[in-house]
Amino acid sequence: MIEKYQTIYKGGVGELVEKKSRFIATVRPVDSEEEALAFIEETKKKYWDARHNCFAYVLGERQELMRCSDDGEPSQTAGKPMMDVLTGAGLTNVAVVVTRYFGGTLLGTGGLVRAYGGAVKAGLANSQVITKYWGTRLAITTDYNGIGKLQYLFGQRQIPMMDAEYTDHVQFVVLVPVHQLPEITKAVTEATSGQAVLSEEGSLYYAILDGEYLCFP
């Protein structure tokens, strides 16, 4: 598993106008090529009366699969610049369709490249981008004397608590990036003078959004 990668949590729509041509970018998170192709067909049906519906999509944790189409525009003036924006942003598991309503004025090769790339940037600006981390669920049991120290420790590292149970002891769960596990384990042990009990409870991809965990088992 790769340690982390960026993707789209919620897609969005962005638009720009260049010499009366409208370029509408629709961004969607996708987990497979089948999902990407279905999204492309759905968007083409929505904008059935447009001159062009160009697309690009990237799949795989390491961006293993990339496809794009100029859909009738001059070669490499639409799909490639769209793809370049996605890969340049380090995104994967994402698809985008840029719909063009022709405004009557030819834009030239450079103008098309700028317009299609700019439309994708506008679409991404209205989407929710997240970083997915490959992490380990770490269960920690401590006494009430240690909880304040651990809350401070995780607060410094911007790691929110996932679950917490308060009985005669305190048990809570955090998700820690796998590569930080030794460092975090050491810090917890030092902060509680060796009193905390730690237990690893499996690994999964997760993201943190607005201080809350998003889990992707």
Side-chain angles (χ1 to χ4, degrees):
M1 296 291 185
I2 192 171
E3 286 185 0
K4 64 178 181 178
Y5 64 90
Q6 283 194 299
T7 188
I8 299 294
Y9 181 56
K10 289 183 180 177
V13 178
E15 181 176 340
L16 62 82
V17 177
E18 186 69 27
K19 294 182 180 178
K20 297 184 180 179
S21 280
R22 292 177 63 206
F23 294 84
I24 306 166
T26 307
V27 180
R28 179 84 57 89
V30 291
D31 290 321
S32 67
E33 190 163 26
E34 290 75 19
E35 277 189 39
L37 295 174
F39 159 63
I40 292 162
E41 288 306 310
E42 171 192 321
T43 308
K44 285 182 175 181
K45 288 178 182 177
K46 179 178 180 180
Y47 297 110
W48 60 270
D49 57 340
R51 177 73 67 91
H52 305 281
N53 282 289
C54 307
F55 67 79
Y57 57 87
V58 187
L59 290 163
E61 295 169 6
R62 294 177 172 82
Q63 300 180 323
E64 296 94 339
L65 179 61
M66 301 181 188
R67 297 281 188 273
C68 62
S69 168
D70 296 311
D71 192 35
E73 293 282 29
S75 179
Q76 299 195 5
T77 62
K80 185 179 184 303
M82 292 167 60
M83 180 68 73
D84 288 345
V85 173
L86 296 180
T87 56
L91 294 169
T92 191
N93 290 358
V94 57
V96 58
V97 177
V98 175
T99 302
R100 181 189 183 187
Y101 285 95
F102 185 57
T105 302
L106 296 176
L107 301 183
T109 300
L112 288 172
V113 169
R114 288 189 297 273
Y116 278 100
V120 175
K121 290 176 183 178
L124 292 177
N126 292 326
S127 302
Q128 207 162 37
V129 178
I130 58 172
T131 301
K132 285 188 178 182
Y133 298 91
W134 181 242
T136 296
R137 285 173 55 98
L138 187 64
I140 303 169
T141 302
T142 185
D143 58 25
Y144 282 84
N145 293 326
I147 187 64
K149 298 173 184 177
L150 294 181
Q151 286 174 330
Y152 176 75
L153 187 155
F154 288 117
Q156 276 189 318
R157 290 166 170 77
Q158 297 183 321
I159 299 176
M161 292 187 182
M162 190 175 187
D163 295 307
E165 183 179 339
Y166 298 87
T167 56
D168 54 333
H169 288 78
V170 181
Q171 184 178 57
F172 62 94
V173 177
V174 292
L175 278 166
V176 179
V178 169
H179 71 280
Q180 290 184 10
L181 192 57
E183 169 200 339
I184 295 297
T185 299
K186 181 181 178 183
V188 169
T189 300
E190 290 177 351
T192 61
S193 301
Q195 297 302 305
V197 178
L198 294 85
S199 174
E200 296 178 26
E201 297 188 340
S203 298
L204 73 164
Y205 274 115
Y206 74 95
I208 297 175
L209 182 64
D210 298 329
E212 300 290 336
Y213 283 113
L214 301 173
C215 297
F216 306 92

